[in-house]
Amino acid sequence: MKDYDYISMSPYFDKQWYKKQYLLDDETDPVEHYLNEGWLRGYDASIHFSTKGYQEMNTDVLEADINPLLHFELYGRKEKRKPIPIRDVVKNQYNGPLKTKAYYTPESAMSRRKDITSFIDSLMKYDIISFDIFDTLVLRNVQNPTDVFRIMGCILKIEKFCQLRIKAENEARRDGVAQKVSIYDIYDILGKYITITNRDYMVNLEMEIEKKICVANPYMKEVYEHLQKAGKIIIINSDMYIPHDLMAELLQCCGYHNYNGLHVSCDYIMEKASGELQLESVKDFDNNLKCIHIGDNKKSDYYGSIAVGWDAFWYEKCMDLSQKVRSDELNTLVQSFYHGIVSNHLYNGKNKYSKEYEHGFIYGGIIVTGFCEYINAFCTEHKIDMIWMMARDMDIVYKVYKEFYNQFPCKYISASRSAVLELTFQNDTENFIEFYFKARA
């Protein structure tokens, strides 16, 4: 039986309830959804099976990163594990949602990456290891690659620059050989739509932005360095419009040095999807050497390598993993940076963090820093001489302000909220009544 069949035939999976509970459209298969996405979001299989409840009661299942209901049907039932902790069920009727104890699985534990040590060990049998660049060796700290063009548009003060830059690239690929198109060709065509007096300046500006938003993938960087120490042959293959010299500069900025070859499609008029670029990259090496390619694109990196007799490893994009639990409806550049930084940090696979750490990283940090900036702006506008921060609510804010935003004198007072309210009774009677009487009625 396939995994799909185990879920579909399980008495603990209610297809109709699941579709209604999680607002799936008619075309979405509830079994497929739960199997591939729903359980990662913590969706319950039915009122009789709490996904996170089962994980909480069986921590080995959480650590193994396996679909909880699938584990139960394959192993848990035989091992006499309970399908759902009864104590967590508050409402067990079809006329309302299942309410369970509030569990939270850290996002970093949901990345499903191989741990670094195991991954490195699996690569030791190969003589040549080939890496893709973007979304593999290098991560962009923005939501979409085209956000680079949005940043350029802001710097150049050119409205719709992003759309025009995309249009020029599409035109270049349509009119010529797609693999041959370089960034210089793109800006030649872009000159039809905007005034470009210095093409090299525009190319350099785009590359400078790339260098500022790109960082080494911590997971792959550690793998890369271990392989180098082990004396492996490392080559880098990329389907990209950025030619060799510019790409080498970008890799150097991200800390990648001393590789045995760098091959970019626009220099060779070849692509990875056909496997031609992979074969070109190893033509100077012994034909008997065993090769593997690592990359994020299923078609070009994985299947393209398999087609020419290489082994391949698919490294799923951090952004794609993140979108399963985070909205992709982020339109501003600020939101794009936020999404990019959070997704790359939590989903690269190097570390797994606690739920407390993730809460602070995803939500607490940005709220506190924003509030500290507001405090400084308010104090500047109103000519405030001293800031008093009250225990206990302002403890973290005080520490962050003193460390990073210490523009005005600031002191922390160990006083309870109720004591302060009593002192302000005459000036803020309504708030006093709300706190002491209405809220406790």
Side-chain angles (χ1 to χ4, degrees), residues 28 44 133 183 224 246 407:
T28 301
D44 297 310
I133 297 179
I183 192 171
Y224 179 94
L246 295 179
Q407 185 176 333

Short mmCIF file of all heavy atoms in Angstrom, two decimals, residues 28 44 133 183 224 246 407:
data_model
loop_
_atom_site.label_atom_id
_atom_site.label_comp_id
_atom_site.label_asym_id
_atom_site.label_seq_id
_atom_site.Cartn_x
_atom_site.Cartn_y
_atom_site.Cartn_z
N THR A 28 -9.52 20.25 -4.43
CA THR A 28 -8.41 19.80 -3.59
C THR A 28 -8.72 18.47 -2.93
O THR A 28 -9.75 18.30 -2.29
CB THR A 28 -8.10 20.84 -2.50
OG1 THR A 28 -7.77 22.08 -3.11
CG2 THR A 28 -6.92 20.40 -1.64
N ASP A 44 -5.58 18.86 12.00
CA ASP A 44 -6.01 17.59 12.56
C ASP A 44 -6.66 16.73 11.48
O ASP A 44 -7.30 17.24 10.56
CB ASP A 44 -6.99 17.80 13.71
CG ASP A 44 -6.33 18.56 14.87
OD1 ASP A 44 -5.24 18.14 15.28
OD2 ASP A 44 -6.89 19.57 15.32
N ILE A 133 24.03 27.45 -7.34
CA ILE A 133 24.37 28.66 -6.57
C ILE A 133 23.16 29.19 -5.81
O ILE A 133 23.03 28.99 -4.60
CB ILE A 133 24.98 29.74 -7.49
CG1 ILE A 133 26.29 29.23 -8.11
CG2 ILE A 133 25.25 31.02 -6.69
CD1 ILE A 133 26.96 30.19 -9.05
N ILE A 183 23.50 39.17 -18.57
CA ILE A 183 22.97 40.39 -17.97
C ILE A 183 23.23 41.59 -18.88
O ILE A 183 22.44 42.53 -18.93
CB ILE A 183 23.58 40.60 -16.56
CG1 ILE A 183 22.84 41.71 -15.82
CG2 ILE A 183 25.08 40.87 -16.63
CD1 ILE A 183 23.22 41.82 -14.36
N TYR A 224 30.17 22.38 2.37
CA TYR A 224 31.20 22.76 1.40
C TYR A 224 32.59 22.71 2.04
O TYR A 224 33.54 22.16 1.48
CB TYR A 224 30.87 24.18 0.92
CG TYR A 224 31.82 24.79 -0.09
CD1 TYR A 224 31.58 24.70 -1.46
CD2 TYR A 224 32.95 25.50 0.32
CE1 TYR A 224 32.44 25.29 -2.38
CE2 TYR A 224 33.81 26.08 -0.59
CZ TYR A 224 33.54 25.98 -1.95
OH TYR A 224 34.39 26.57 -2.85
N LEU A 246 31.63 37.93 -12.83
CA LEU A 246 30.71 38.57 -11.88
C LEU A 246 30.20 37.56 -10.85
O LEU A 246 30.05 37.88 -9.67
CB LEU A 246 29.55 39.22 -12.62
CG LEU A 246 29.88 40.38 -13.56
CD1 LEU A 246 28.61 40.89 -14.25
CD2 LEU A 246 30.57 41.51 -12.81
N GLN A 407 19.27 56.56 22.85
CA GLN A 407 19.35 57.97 22.42
C GLN A 407 19.00 58.92 23.56
O GLN A 407 19.50 60.05 23.62
CB GLN A 407 18.40 58.20 21.23
CG GLN A 407 18.48 59.59 20.63
CD GLN A 407 17.59 59.71 19.40
OE1 GLN A 407 17.33 58.73 18.70
NE2 GLN A 407 17.13 60.92 19.12
#
